[in-house]
Amino acid sequence: YVPLESGGSIGTKAESHNVLLIDSQEALFSGHGVSSIVSAESIKHTNFSIDNNGFSVWELICQNGEKWTRNIKIDSNKCITLSDRIDFCKEVKGFFNLHPGTNVEQINSKHIRLLFDNFQCDICFLNIQNLFIENIDFFPNYGEKIDSKRIVWYSLRNNKHIEHKIQILIEKVTLN
């Protein structure tokens, strides 16, 4: 592994896929060339439960008492709601990498739409500071590069924590 900044080729640049970067670091995984903000030594315990509203609740509690809570709910209306509340950071950057050829459009500063053959997926981002679509390189095989896109969003800390919410609504549509 040779970082791109040190003269490595474009295909050797490691970056997160479909995750959160917390204060510019990987959230929970560390490995070759990647550092994580939450190390195994800093975790006091984790909990998983279902709350009274039907949300799956995952909590990571650090030794110092700081907490990351993630709620996920899938309802009968084909809507997925994901929310994060993180007490121990200044900035969160999130990524959704898209498969090459996925049709994506930004509706406004809080909404993205993915278009498929017979359905669409509307994604609404709440409590974020920035949302955009960027071009990326997709490598299906070693030495093979295809143009693709990803959705990127930023959340900044308010007084005590970062809290954002993503709602994904999937609906069947008739395309002309």
Side-chain angles (χ1 to χ4, degrees):
Y1 173 80
V2 179
L4 190 59
E5 305 80 38
S6 301
S9 69
I10 192 166
T12 63
K13 182 174 182 259
E15 195 162 45
S16 299
H17 298 276
N18 307 327
V19 298
L20 297 178
L21 289 181
I22 298 174
D23 292 338
S24 300
Q25 294 184 59
E26 186 76 49
L28 296 173
F29 170 79
S30 62
H32 185 67
V34 180
S35 62
S36 66
I37 190 122
V38 179
S39 67
E41 296 81 28
S42 70
I43 297 172
K44 183 176 181 179
H45 68 273
T46 60
N47 296 323
F48 181 79
S49 62
I50 305 294
D51 72 7
N52 293 337
N53 297 315
F55 279 82
S56 298
V57 180
W58 173 79
E59 287 183 323
L60 179 142
I61 301 170
C62 296
Q63 295 288 353
N64 64 5
E66 294 177 326
K67 187 177 357 177
W68 174 5
T69 304
R70 170 167 280 181
N71 297 306
I72 302 171
K73 183 173 184 182
I74 302 172
D75 71 22
S76 61
N77 293 321
K78 298 181 183 176
C79 181
I80 301 168
T81 303
L82 171 94
S83 64
D84 283 306
R85 180 183 170 126
I86 307 170
D87 294 339
F88 52 84
C89 64
K90 296 176 185 162
E91 175 189 76
V92 170
K93 181 179 182 182
F95 302 101
F96 285 146
N97 289 5
L98 303 174
H99 191 273
T102 300
N103 294 316
V104 58
E105 59 186 29
Q106 186 160 356
I107 305 301
N108 58 40
S109 64
K110 303 290 184 201
H111 290 85
I112 298 281
R113 178 170 291 148
L114 304 177
L115 300 167
F116 301 95
D117 289 340
N118 60 350
F119 67 96
Q120 68 185 24
C121 180
D122 287 333
I123 307 173
C124 176
F125 295 80
L126 306 171
N127 300 329
I128 61 164
Q129 280 66 43
N130 198 359
L131 172 68
F132 57 93
I133 299 165
E134 72 178 3
N135 295 320
I136 61 167
D137 297 318
F138 176 78
F139 296 92
N141 294 302
Y142 183 79
E144 184 180 348
K145 180 175 86 169
I146 300 173
D147 293 336
S148 191
K149 297 186 182 302
R150 73 176 169 188
I151 301 166
V152 181
W153 73 94
Y154 289 92
S155 297
L156 300 175
R157 184 179 183 129
N158 60 23
N159 294 326
K160 291 187 158 196
H161 58 268
I162 287 181
E163 189 166 4
H164 63 256
K165 184 182 286 189
I166 302 168
Q167 291 182 313
I168 303 170
L169 179 62
I170 302 168
E171 57 187 336
K172 189 173 181 178
V173 294
T174 305
L175 301 176
N176 297 331

